[in-house]
Amino acid sequence: MTLQTMTYLVVGFTFAIYIGIAIWARAGTTKDFYVAGGGVNPIANGMATAADWMSAASFISMAGLIAFMGYGGSVFLMGWTGGYVLLAMLLAPYLRKFGKFTVPEFIGDRYYSKAARIVAVICLIIASVTYVIGQMKGIGVAFSRFLEVDYNVGLSIGMGIVFIYAVMGGMKGITYTQIAQYCVLILAYTIPAIFISLNLTGNPIPQLGLGSTMAGTDVFLLDRLDQVLRDLGFLEYTTNVRLSLTNMFMYTLSLMIGTAGLPHVIIRFFTVPKVKDARSSAGWALVFIAILYTTAPSVAAMARLNLVETINLPSGEQMVYDERPDWIRNWEATGLLAFEDKNGDGEIVYSADAETNEMTKVDRDIMVLANPEIANLPNWVIALVAAGGLAAALSTAAGLLLAISSAISHDLLKGVFKPEITEKQELLASRIAMAGAILVAGYLGFNPPDFAAGTVALAFGLAASSIFPALMMGIFYKRMNKEGAIAGMVAGIGVTLFYVFQHKGIMFIQSTSYLGDMSPNWFLGIEPNAFGAVGAIVNFAVAFAVAKMTAAPPQEIMDLVEHIRVPSGAGAASSH
Amino acid sequence: MSKNSSYWSANLRLVALCLAIWFVVSYLFGIILVEPLNSIQLGGYKLGFWFAQQGSIYVFVALIFFYANRMGKLDKEHDVHEDDD
């Protein structure tokens, strides 16, 4: 069977499963639609959260980023996992106890203010929409690369699938499809990693293989990698710091706080039956995430070593261009890999020196996508990687779309503009909002705005500097009032946006940047993507100062805070 | 309310302990002290590098389950647990 047929079969099979789940898990009430009925098992929710969280970027791009950053790539590994510790201890159990459907709803009730709720909706929509554009692009790219269909056709098919299960089933349909998608993506990620680790080190567990010796020698794999990179003039893999330790510290902190503050992740914890389930479910989510996140550094280092040693052979010879392996030919055809024999000797040299380097293009995404071919794995594994990439993008897109549509139908429509609508009308409105959100996301996928690449960092920056502090103070500081919370959110977002726009241009239009995006201009050497943590600190400081100067919140709000701090008397998530 | 306030302060102490460990394994071992720790080997890993790319994640997972377990006990001790149905 050809690879093409195999890929169609595997991807088609996974899509059939997703649609089957959609038909089975239809939503009958708003509670089904917003929180999957509130009865999801904590382990199942952990799995769904893992799929929700791990996007096309985690699946396709992260290992490639680490492969070229080495130690510096650790900011993503720690940053995108450590946030779950904050979520489990500072937010999830209390928000579950509060027992409502959305994040802005908590902010609106806790700060007894429709204005606070609307500010939270705006932050949520900006953070989620910027994030969803990346997923839409991931779906289109995965289709066009593996199934050789046109980008726009691929994107339309992906939108159609999400449309079926998200509009019919809401959170209920999304939850059970995400569980299936997690299984697909984790198999697709770990199988090639196991074989690559086995090839290089003889150890089938990639996490151990990375710390092992190269098969048949007593040289450690990481020492070998450091050595070959030094020889080619690159920085050493294991000590290559990203800009500075201060920058790495702030970047990691921003990603952690941002992760804990992203609404599409938080709302997953509204679906479990009890407060104690919300705690353990965060642990399970991180177990399922950690399987991929501890495999990724192995994939990164091993793929980099494989790449270098394919071109600069361990024997000291260079790869002869006409005798290059098939996988190189295949990826050259996609344009993601390119060579130029500058000195015309028929051999290819890979070097840190741009003058002599003859591998002129190497797209980071190849590090994951080409793995099965580099390890000579059968076609069904390559087909599975295609299905895995699509599962990662679809599951994250669906979670984000639910966060957006519930903010529109529940927070804006039911909460602010038309409180008198019935349950049935709200359910219809939430389906319409979901359909609308899919169309908008699809439109942005077809016509990605110029600033799309820069905006994922903005999603984390906004979540870190606005949503996380407002939620945390709402739970841990009873005296926090609406004036403090609103001033804090506005100040946090303001500082973060100001810093990002100052260096990257207003709305990411380069020419409007009035301070170049380079380290001498950065505050304490912190890159704009890492500024969310500073925004969060400003938010906390301003909120405390303003709260001290204004009246304490009413007694019933103090009682509400007392109520959410203890698990007893929880009841299921409800709309009133 | 005093029942709840002793529960709450026990919770805060537990969170403070967990977040201290969270900080130590990632920010301290993985970033601030990475260079000195790298002079120690853990198999083929430099120790600081291992904390940054492997160890901190394992500790995060263990911390959440430890916290969930201890909180379950605190809930019962202070009689604020949910009904078992």
Side-chain angles (χ1 to χ4, degrees), chain A residues 73-133:
Chain A
S74 311
V75 295
F76 304 113
L77 293 166
M78 291 187 284
W80 284 335
T81 54
Y84 281 84
V85 178
L86 300 178
L87 200 53
M89 295 175 194
L90 303 179
L91 304 182
Y94 309 106
L95 296 177
R96 171 64 196 80
K97 171 65 191 294
F98 177 64
K100 299 287 179 74
F101 288 160
T102 68
V103 171
E105 190 173 15
F106 174 78
I107 291 179
D109 285 7
R110 168 62 183 82
Y111 296 118
Y112 44 100
S113 157
K114 280 186 180 165
R117 191 170 182 174
I118 292 171
V119 172
V121 168
I122 294 169
C123 293
L124 180 152
I125 289 180
I126 298 176
S128 303
V129 168
T130 52
Y131 212 112
V132 89
I133 300 173

Short mmCIF file of all heavy atoms in Angstrom, two decimals, chain A residues 73-133:
data_model
loop_
_atom_site.label_atom_id
_atom_site.label_comp_id
_atom_site.label_asym_id
_atom_site.label_seq_id
_atom_site.Cartn_x
_atom_site.Cartn_y
_atom_site.Cartn_z
N GLY A 73 16.02 26.03 25.33
CA GLY A 73 14.66 25.57 25.07
C GLY A 73 13.95 25.09 26.32
O GLY A 73 12.74 24.84 26.29
N SER A 74 14.68 24.98 27.42
CA SER A 74 14.06 24.54 28.68
C SER A 74 12.95 25.47 29.14
O SER A 74 12.08 25.05 29.90
CB SER A 74 15.10 24.47 29.80
OG SER A 74 16.24 23.78 29.40
N VAL A 75 12.97 26.73 28.71
CA VAL A 75 11.91 27.65 29.14
C VAL A 75 10.54 27.11 28.74
O VAL A 75 9.58 27.23 29.50
CB VAL A 75 12.06 29.10 28.58
CG1 VAL A 75 13.30 29.76 29.14
CG2 VAL A 75 12.08 29.12 27.07
N PHE A 76 10.45 26.46 27.56
CA PHE A 76 9.15 25.93 27.13
C PHE A 76 8.78 24.69 27.94
O PHE A 76 7.63 24.48 28.28
CB PHE A 76 9.18 25.59 25.64
CG PHE A 76 9.56 26.76 24.79
CD1 PHE A 76 10.75 26.78 24.08
CD2 PHE A 76 8.74 27.87 24.73
CE1 PHE A 76 11.11 27.88 23.32
CE2 PHE A 76 9.09 28.97 23.97
CZ PHE A 76 10.28 28.98 23.26
N LEU A 77 9.78 23.85 28.22
CA LEU A 77 9.50 22.61 28.96
C LEU A 77 9.01 22.92 30.37
O LEU A 77 7.98 22.41 30.81
CB LEU A 77 10.75 21.74 29.01
CG LEU A 77 11.20 21.20 27.65
CD1 LEU A 77 12.61 20.66 27.71
CD2 LEU A 77 10.24 20.12 27.18
N MET A 78 9.74 23.77 31.08
CA MET A 78 9.33 24.10 32.45
C MET A 78 8.11 25.02 32.44
O MET A 78 7.19 24.84 33.23
CB MET A 78 10.47 24.77 33.21
CG MET A 78 11.63 23.83 33.50
SD MET A 78 12.87 24.60 34.57
CE MET A 78 13.70 25.69 33.41
N GLY A 79 8.11 25.99 31.54
CA GLY A 79 7.05 26.99 31.53
C GLY A 79 5.69 26.41 31.22
O GLY A 79 4.69 26.80 31.81
N TRP A 80 5.64 25.45 30.28
CA TRP A 80 4.34 24.93 29.87
C TRP A 80 3.90 23.73 30.72
O TRP A 80 2.88 23.13 30.44
CB TRP A 80 4.37 24.58 28.37
CG TRP A 80 4.28 25.82 27.53
CD1 TRP A 80 3.74 27.02 27.88
CD2 TRP A 80 4.74 26.00 26.17
NE1 TRP A 80 3.84 27.92 26.84
CE2 TRP A 80 4.44 27.33 25.79
CE3 TRP A 80 5.37 25.15 25.25
CZ2 TRP A 80 4.74 27.83 24.52
CZ3 TRP A 80 5.67 25.66 23.99
CH2 TRP A 80 5.38 26.99 23.62
N THR A 81 4.69 23.35 31.74
CA THR A 81 4.23 22.30 32.65
C THR A 81 4.05 22.87 34.07
O THR A 81 3.11 22.49 34.76
CB THR A 81 5.23 21.13 32.73
OG1 THR A 81 6.53 21.65 33.07
CG2 THR A 81 5.33 20.40 31.41
N GLY A 82 4.94 23.77 34.49
CA GLY A 82 4.90 24.27 35.87
C GLY A 82 3.63 25.04 36.18
O GLY A 82 3.25 25.16 37.34
N GLY A 83 2.97 25.57 35.14
CA GLY A 83 1.72 26.29 35.36
C GLY A 83 0.65 25.41 35.98
O GLY A 83 -0.25 25.90 36.67
N TYR A 84 0.73 24.10 35.74
CA TYR A 84 -0.29 23.20 36.31
C TYR A 84 -0.20 23.10 37.83
O TYR A 84 -1.19 22.83 38.49
CB TYR A 84 -0.22 21.82 35.64
CG TYR A 84 -0.91 21.87 34.30
CD1 TYR A 84 -0.23 22.31 33.18
CD2 TYR A 84 -2.26 21.57 34.19
CE1 TYR A 84 -0.88 22.44 31.96
CE2 TYR A 84 -2.91 21.70 32.99
CZ TYR A 84 -2.22 22.13 31.88
OH TYR A 84 -2.87 22.29 30.69
N VAL A 85 1.01 23.32 38.37
CA VAL A 85 1.16 23.34 39.82
C VAL A 85 0.38 24.55 40.37
O VAL A 85 -0.38 24.42 41.34
CB VAL A 85 2.65 23.41 40.23
CG1 VAL A 85 2.80 23.49 41.74
CG2 VAL A 85 3.40 22.19 39.68
N LEU A 86 0.53 25.69 39.72
CA LEU A 86 -0.21 26.89 40.14
C LEU A 86 -1.71 26.67 40.00
O LEU A 86 -2.50 27.03 40.87
CB LEU A 86 0.22 28.09 39.30
CG LEU A 86 1.70 28.48 39.37
CD1 LEU A 86 1.99 29.64 38.44
CD2 LEU A 86 2.08 28.85 40.79
N LEU A 87 -2.09 26.07 38.89
CA LEU A 87 -3.51 25.83 38.62
C LEU A 87 -4.11 24.93 39.69
O LEU A 87 -5.20 25.19 40.22
CB LEU A 87 -3.61 25.18 37.24
CG LEU A 87 -4.92 25.21 36.48
CD1 LEU A 87 -5.42 26.63 36.36
CD2 LEU A 87 -4.69 24.62 35.09
N ALA A 88 -3.40 23.86 40.04
CA ALA A 88 -3.94 22.87 40.99
C ALA A 88 -4.04 23.45 42.39
O ALA A 88 -4.93 23.07 43.15
CB ALA A 88 -3.05 21.62 41.01
N MET A 89 -3.11 24.35 42.76
CA MET A 89 -3.07 24.81 44.14
C MET A 89 -3.71 26.17 44.34
O MET A 89 -4.15 26.49 45.44
CB MET A 89 -1.62 24.86 44.63
CG MET A 89 -1.01 23.49 44.68
SD MET A 89 0.72 23.51 45.11
CE MET A 89 1.13 21.82 44.64
N LEU A 90 -3.74 26.99 43.31
CA LEU A 90 -4.20 28.36 43.50
C LEU A 90 -5.56 28.65 42.86
O LEU A 90 -6.24 29.59 43.27
CB LEU A 90 -3.16 29.35 42.95
CG LEU A 90 -1.75 29.23 43.56
CD1 LEU A 90 -0.82 30.24 42.92
CD2 LEU A 90 -1.78 29.41 45.06
N LEU A 91 -5.93 27.90 41.82
CA LEU A 91 -7.16 28.27 41.11
C LEU A 91 -8.21 27.17 40.99
O LEU A 91 -9.35 27.33 41.41
CB LEU A 91 -6.82 28.79 39.69
CG LEU A 91 -5.86 29.96 39.55
CD1 LEU A 91 -5.71 30.32 38.07
CD2 LEU A 91 -6.34 31.17 40.31
N ALA A 92 -7.83 26.03 40.40
CA ALA A 92 -8.83 25.07 39.93
C ALA A 92 -9.84 24.62 41.00
O ALA A 92 -11.05 24.66 40.76
CB ALA A 92 -8.15 23.85 39.29
N PRO A 93 -9.39 24.19 42.21
CA PRO A 93 -10.38 23.69 43.17
C PRO A 93 -11.37 24.77 43.60
O PRO A 93 -12.56 24.47 43.79
CB PRO A 93 -9.54 23.24 44.37
CG PRO A 93 -8.13 23.40 44.01
CD PRO A 93 -8.01 24.09 42.70
N TYR A 94 -10.91 26.00 43.72
CA TYR A 94 -11.78 27.08 44.20
C TYR A 94 -12.77 27.50 43.13
O TYR A 94 -13.94 27.78 43.41
CB TYR A 94 -10.94 28.27 44.67
CG TYR A 94 -9.87 27.83 45.63
CD1 TYR A 94 -8.54 27.75 45.25
CD2 TYR A 94 -10.22 27.40 46.91
CE1 TYR A 94 -7.58 27.29 46.12
CE2 TYR A 94 -9.27 26.93 47.79
CZ TYR A 94 -7.94 26.87 47.39
OH TYR A 94 -6.99 26.40 48.25
N LEU A 95 -12.30 27.55 41.88
CA LEU A 95 -13.21 27.92 40.80
C LEU A 95 -14.23 26.81 40.59
O LEU A 95 -15.39 27.07 40.27
CB LEU A 95 -12.42 28.21 39.51
CG LEU A 95 -11.48 29.41 39.63
CD1 LEU A 95 -10.68 29.59 38.34
CD2 LEU A 95 -12.25 30.68 39.94
N ARG A 96 -13.82 25.56 40.79
CA ARG A 96 -14.77 24.45 40.70
C ARG A 96 -15.82 24.58 41.81
O ARG A 96 -17.01 24.38 41.57
CB ARG A 96 -14.03 23.12 40.82
CG ARG A 96 -14.93 21.90 40.96
CD ARG A 96 -15.78 21.70 39.71
NE ARG A 96 -16.90 20.80 39.95
CZ ARG A 96 -18.04 21.15 40.53
NH1 ARG A 96 -18.24 22.40 40.93
NH2 ARG A 96 -19.00 20.28 40.72
N LYS A 97 -15.38 24.94 43.01
CA LYS A 97 -16.32 25.10 44.12
C LYS A 97 -17.32 26.22 43.83
O LYS A 97 -18.50 26.11 44.10
CB LYS A 97 -15.56 25.41 45.42
CG LYS A 97 -16.43 25.81 46.61
CD LYS A 97 -17.34 24.67 47.05
CE LYS A 97 -18.39 25.11 48.06
NZ LYS A 97 -17.88 25.54 49.34
N PHE A 98 -16.83 27.29 43.24
CA PHE A 98 -17.68 28.42 42.87
C PHE A 98 -18.83 27.91 42.00
O PHE A 98 -19.97 28.36 42.12
CB PHE A 98 -16.85 29.47 42.15
CG PHE A 98 -17.61 30.65 41.65
CD1 PHE A 98 -18.23 31.51 42.55
CD2 PHE A 98 -17.71 30.91 40.30
CE1 PHE A 98 -18.93 32.61 42.09
CE2 PHE A 98 -18.41 32.01 39.84
CZ PHE A 98 -19.03 32.86 40.74
N GLY A 99 -18.50 26.95 41.10
CA GLY A 99 -19.54 26.20 40.44
C GLY A 99 -20.30 26.91 39.34
O GLY A 99 -21.47 26.67 39.14
N LYS A 100 -19.66 27.82 38.62
CA LYS A 100 -20.34 28.45 37.48
C LYS A 100 -19.69 27.96 36.20
O LYS A 100 -18.82 27.10 36.22
CB LYS A 100 -20.26 29.97 37.59
CG LYS A 100 -20.94 30.52 38.85
CD LYS A 100 -22.46 30.46 38.78
CE LYS A 100 -23.11 30.99 40.05
NZ LYS A 100 -23.08 32.44 40.20
N PHE A 101 -20.12 28.53 35.07
CA PHE A 101 -19.74 27.98 33.77
C PHE A 101 -18.50 28.60 33.13
O PHE A 101 -17.85 27.98 32.32
CB PHE A 101 -20.90 28.14 32.79
CG PHE A 101 -22.06 27.22 33.07
CD1 PHE A 101 -23.32 27.51 32.56
CD2 PHE A 101 -21.89 26.06 33.81
CE1 PHE A 101 -24.38 26.66 32.81
CE2 PHE A 101 -22.97 25.21 34.07
CZ PHE A 101 -24.22 25.52 33.56
N THR A 102 -18.20 29.87 33.43
CA THR A 102 -17.11 30.53 32.70
C THR A 102 -16.20 31.31 33.64
O THR A 102 -16.56 31.59 34.79
CB THR A 102 -17.64 31.53 31.64
OG1 THR A 102 -18.23 32.62 32.33
CG2 THR A 102 -18.65 30.88 30.71
N VAL A 103 -15.02 31.66 33.13
CA VAL A 103 -14.05 32.43 33.91
C VAL A 103 -14.53 33.88 34.12
O VAL A 103 -14.49 34.39 35.25
CB VAL A 103 -12.66 32.37 33.25
CG1 VAL A 103 -11.70 33.34 33.91
CG2 VAL A 103 -12.12 30.94 33.32
N PRO A 104 -15.01 34.56 33.07
CA PRO A 104 -15.49 35.94 33.30
C PRO A 104 -16.65 35.98 34.30
O PRO A 104 -16.83 36.97 35.01
CB PRO A 104 -15.96 36.39 31.91
CG PRO A 104 -15.17 35.57 30.96
CD PRO A 104 -14.99 34.23 31.63
N GLU A 105 -17.44 34.91 34.37
CA GLU A 105 -18.55 34.88 35.30
C GLU A 105 -18.04 34.96 36.75
O GLU A 105 -18.61 35.66 37.58
CB GLU A 105 -19.36 33.59 35.10
CG GLU A 105 -20.68 33.59 35.84
CD GLU A 105 -21.54 32.39 35.50
OE1 GLU A 105 -21.03 31.42 34.91
OE2 GLU A 105 -22.74 32.43 35.83
N PHE A 106 -16.95 34.24 37.04
CA PHE A 106 -16.37 34.34 38.38
C PHE A 106 -15.90 35.76 38.64
O PHE A 106 -16.17 36.33 39.71
CB PHE A 106 -15.19 33.37 38.54
CG PHE A 106 -14.46 33.54 39.85
CD1 PHE A 106 -14.98 33.02 41.02
CD2 PHE A 106 -13.26 34.26 39.92
CE1 PHE A 106 -14.33 33.20 42.24
CE2 PHE A 106 -12.61 34.45 41.13
CZ PHE A 106 -13.15 33.91 42.29
N ILE A 107 -15.19 36.33 37.68
CA ILE A 107 -14.66 37.68 37.88
C ILE A 107 -15.81 38.68 38.08
O ILE A 107 -15.76 39.53 38.98
CB ILE A 107 -13.72 38.07 36.72
CG1 ILE A 107 -12.47 37.19 36.82
CG2 ILE A 107 -13.36 39.55 36.75
CD1 ILE A 107 -11.44 37.41 35.74
N GLY A 108 -16.87 38.54 37.28
CA GLY A 108 -18.02 39.43 37.41
C GLY A 108 -18.70 39.30 38.77
O GLY A 108 -19.05 40.30 39.41
N ASP A 109 -18.88 38.07 39.26
CA ASP A 109 -19.56 37.87 40.55
C ASP A 109 -18.67 38.27 41.73
O ASP A 109 -19.10 38.92 42.66
CB ASP A 109 -19.96 36.39 40.72
CG ASP A 109 -21.16 36.03 39.86
OD1 ASP A 109 -21.59 36.89 39.05
OD2 ASP A 109 -21.66 34.90 39.99
N ARG A 110 -17.41 37.85 41.66
CA ARG A 110 -16.50 38.11 42.77
C ARG A 110 -16.26 39.61 42.95
O ARG A 110 -16.10 40.09 44.07
CB ARG A 110 -15.17 37.37 42.52
CG ARG A 110 -14.00 37.75 43.43
CD ARG A 110 -14.27 37.44 44.88
NE ARG A 110 -13.17 37.87 45.75
CZ ARG A 110 -12.99 39.09 46.19
NH1 ARG A 110 -13.83 40.05 45.85
NH2 ARG A 110 -11.97 39.39 46.97
N TYR A 111 -16.20 40.31 41.82
CA TYR A 111 -15.95 41.75 41.91
C TYR A 111 -17.24 42.55 41.71
O TYR A 111 -17.18 43.74 41.37
CB TYR A 111 -14.85 42.16 40.93
CG TYR A 111 -13.52 41.49 41.30
CD1 TYR A 111 -12.89 40.61 40.43
CD2 TYR A 111 -12.93 41.71 42.54
CE1 TYR A 111 -11.70 39.98 40.77
CE2 TYR A 111 -11.75 41.07 42.90
CZ TYR A 111 -11.15 40.22 42.02
OH TYR A 111 -9.97 39.59 42.38
N TYR A 112 -18.40 41.86 41.89
CA TYR A 112 -19.71 42.50 41.84
C TYR A 112 -19.77 43.63 40.82
O TYR A 112 -20.17 44.75 41.11
CB TYR A 112 -20.10 43.02 43.26
CG TYR A 112 -18.98 43.74 44.00
CD1 TYR A 112 -18.92 45.13 44.04
CD2 TYR A 112 -17.98 43.03 44.65
CE1 TYR A 112 -17.88 45.79 44.69
CE2 TYR A 112 -16.95 43.67 45.30
CZ TYR A 112 -16.89 45.04 45.31
OH TYR A 112 -15.86 45.68 45.94
N SER A 113 -19.38 43.29 39.58
CA SER A 113 -19.24 44.35 38.59
C SER A 113 -19.35 43.77 37.18
O SER A 113 -18.61 42.85 36.81
CB SER A 113 -17.87 45.01 38.76
OG SER A 113 -17.46 45.63 37.58
N LYS A 114 -20.32 44.31 36.42
CA LYS A 114 -20.41 43.90 35.01
C LYS A 114 -19.21 44.40 34.22
O LYS A 114 -18.78 43.76 33.27
CB LYS A 114 -21.71 44.43 34.39
CG LYS A 114 -22.89 43.55 34.76
CD LYS A 114 -24.16 43.97 34.05
CE LYS A 114 -25.30 43.04 34.48
NZ LYS A 114 -26.61 43.56 34.12
N ALA A 115 -18.66 45.54 34.64
CA ALA A 115 -17.50 46.08 33.93
C ALA A 115 -16.32 45.11 34.04
O ALA A 115 -15.63 44.82 33.05
CB ALA A 115 -17.11 47.44 34.49
N ALA A 116 -16.11 44.56 35.25
CA ALA A 116 -15.01 43.61 35.44
C ALA A 116 -15.23 42.39 34.55
O ALA A 116 -14.30 41.85 33.94
CB ALA A 116 -14.92 43.18 36.90
N ARG A 117 -16.52 41.95 34.48
CA ARG A 117 -16.83 40.78 33.65
C ARG A 117 -16.52 41.06 32.18
O ARG A 117 -15.98 40.20 31.48
CB ARG A 117 -18.31 40.42 33.84
CG ARG A 117 -18.68 39.08 33.24
CD ARG A 117 -20.09 38.68 33.68
NE ARG A 117 -20.47 37.38 33.17
CZ ARG A 117 -21.60 36.77 33.52
NH1 ARG A 117 -22.43 37.31 34.36
NH2 ARG A 117 -21.89 35.58 33.00
N ILE A 118 -16.87 42.27 31.73
CA ILE A 118 -16.63 42.61 30.32
C ILE A 118 -15.13 42.71 30.03
O ILE A 118 -14.65 42.23 29.00
CB ILE A 118 -17.39 43.90 29.93
CG1 ILE A 118 -18.90 43.60 29.97
CG2 ILE A 118 -16.98 44.38 28.56
CD1 ILE A 118 -19.78 44.81 29.83
N VAL A 119 -14.36 43.30 30.97
CA VAL A 119 -12.90 43.36 30.79
C VAL A 119 -12.35 41.94 30.65
O VAL A 119 -11.53 41.63 29.78
CB VAL A 119 -12.21 44.08 31.97
CG1 VAL A 119 -10.69 43.96 31.86
CG2 VAL A 119 -12.60 45.55 32.01
N ALA A 120 -12.86 41.02 31.51
CA ALA A 120 -12.38 39.63 31.45
C ALA A 120 -12.76 38.98 30.13
O ALA A 120 -11.98 38.22 29.55
CB ALA A 120 -12.95 38.84 32.63
N VAL A 121 -13.97 39.26 29.62
CA VAL A 121 -14.39 38.70 28.33
C VAL A 121 -13.45 39.19 27.22
O VAL A 121 -13.02 38.41 26.36
CB VAL A 121 -15.86 39.07 28.00
CG1 VAL A 121 -16.19 38.73 26.56
CG2 VAL A 121 -16.81 38.34 28.94
N ILE A 122 -13.11 40.48 27.27
CA ILE A 122 -12.23 41.02 26.23
C ILE A 122 -10.87 40.33 26.27
O ILE A 122 -10.34 39.89 25.24
CB ILE A 122 -12.09 42.55 26.38
CG1 ILE A 122 -13.45 43.21 26.10
CG2 ILE A 122 -11.03 43.10 25.44
CD1 ILE A 122 -13.51 44.68 26.48
N CYS A 123 -10.29 40.20 27.47
CA CYS A 123 -9.00 39.51 27.60
C CYS A 123 -9.11 38.08 27.08
O CYS A 123 -8.23 37.60 26.35
CB CYS A 123 -8.54 39.43 29.05
SG CYS A 123 -8.16 41.02 29.75
N LEU A 124 -10.19 37.41 27.45
CA LEU A 124 -10.38 36.02 27.05
C LEU A 124 -10.45 35.91 25.53
O LEU A 124 -9.82 35.04 24.92
CB LEU A 124 -11.67 35.49 27.68
CG LEU A 124 -12.07 34.04 27.40
CD1 LEU A 124 -12.89 33.51 28.57
CD2 LEU A 124 -12.85 33.87 26.12
N ILE A 125 -11.22 36.80 24.92
CA ILE A 125 -11.40 36.69 23.47
C ILE A 125 -10.09 36.99 22.73
O ILE A 125 -9.71 36.27 21.81
CB ILE A 125 -12.57 37.59 23.00
CG1 ILE A 125 -13.88 36.95 23.50
CG2 ILE A 125 -12.59 37.71 21.47
CD1 ILE A 125 -15.13 37.69 23.13
N ILE A 126 -9.36 38.03 23.17
CA ILE A 126 -8.09 38.34 22.49
C ILE A 126 -7.13 37.16 22.65
O ILE A 126 -6.52 36.69 21.68
CB ILE A 126 -7.44 39.63 23.03
CG1 ILE A 126 -8.37 40.82 22.79
CG2 ILE A 126 -6.10 39.87 22.34
CD1 ILE A 126 -7.85 42.11 23.39
N ALA A 127 -7.00 36.67 23.89
CA ALA A 127 -6.05 35.58 24.13
C ALA A 127 -6.44 34.34 23.32
O ALA A 127 -5.59 33.70 22.68
CB ALA A 127 -6.00 35.24 25.63
N SER A 128 -7.73 34.00 23.30
CA SER A 128 -8.14 32.77 22.64
C SER A 128 -8.12 32.88 21.11
O SER A 128 -7.76 31.92 20.43
CB SER A 128 -9.55 32.36 23.10
OG SER A 128 -9.57 32.22 24.50
N VAL A 129 -8.52 34.04 20.59
CA VAL A 129 -8.54 34.18 19.13
C VAL A 129 -7.12 34.14 18.56
O VAL A 129 -6.86 33.46 17.56
CB VAL A 129 -9.28 35.47 18.69
CG1 VAL A 129 -9.06 35.75 17.22
CG2 VAL A 129 -10.78 35.33 18.96
N THR A 130 -6.18 34.84 19.23
CA THR A 130 -4.81 34.82 18.72
C THR A 130 -4.26 33.40 18.75
O THR A 130 -3.55 32.98 17.84
CB THR A 130 -3.88 35.72 19.56
OG1 THR A 130 -4.02 35.38 20.93
CG2 THR A 130 -4.22 37.17 19.38
N TYR A 131 -4.65 32.66 19.75
CA TYR A 131 -4.18 31.29 19.90
C TYR A 131 -4.78 30.37 18.84
O TYR A 131 -4.14 29.47 18.32
CB TYR A 131 -4.63 30.83 21.28
CG TYR A 131 -3.74 29.86 21.99
CD1 TYR A 131 -3.06 30.25 23.13
CD2 TYR A 131 -3.61 28.55 21.55
CE1 TYR A 131 -2.28 29.36 23.81
CE2 TYR A 131 -2.82 27.66 22.24
CZ TYR A 131 -2.16 28.06 23.36
OH TYR A 131 -1.38 27.17 24.03
N VAL A 132 -6.06 30.62 18.52
CA VAL A 132 -6.75 29.71 17.60
C VAL A 132 -6.24 29.88 16.16
O VAL A 132 -6.27 28.93 15.38
CB VAL A 132 -8.29 29.89 17.72
CG1 VAL A 132 -8.81 30.95 16.78
CG2 VAL A 132 -9.01 28.57 17.47
N ILE A 133 -5.75 31.07 15.83
CA ILE A 133 -5.22 31.26 14.47
C ILE A 133 -4.10 30.26 14.20
O ILE A 133 -4.03 29.64 13.13
CB ILE A 133 -4.67 32.70 14.27
CG1 ILE A 133 -5.77 33.73 14.49
CG2 ILE A 133 -4.08 32.88 12.88
CD1 ILE A 133 -5.27 35.17 14.48
#
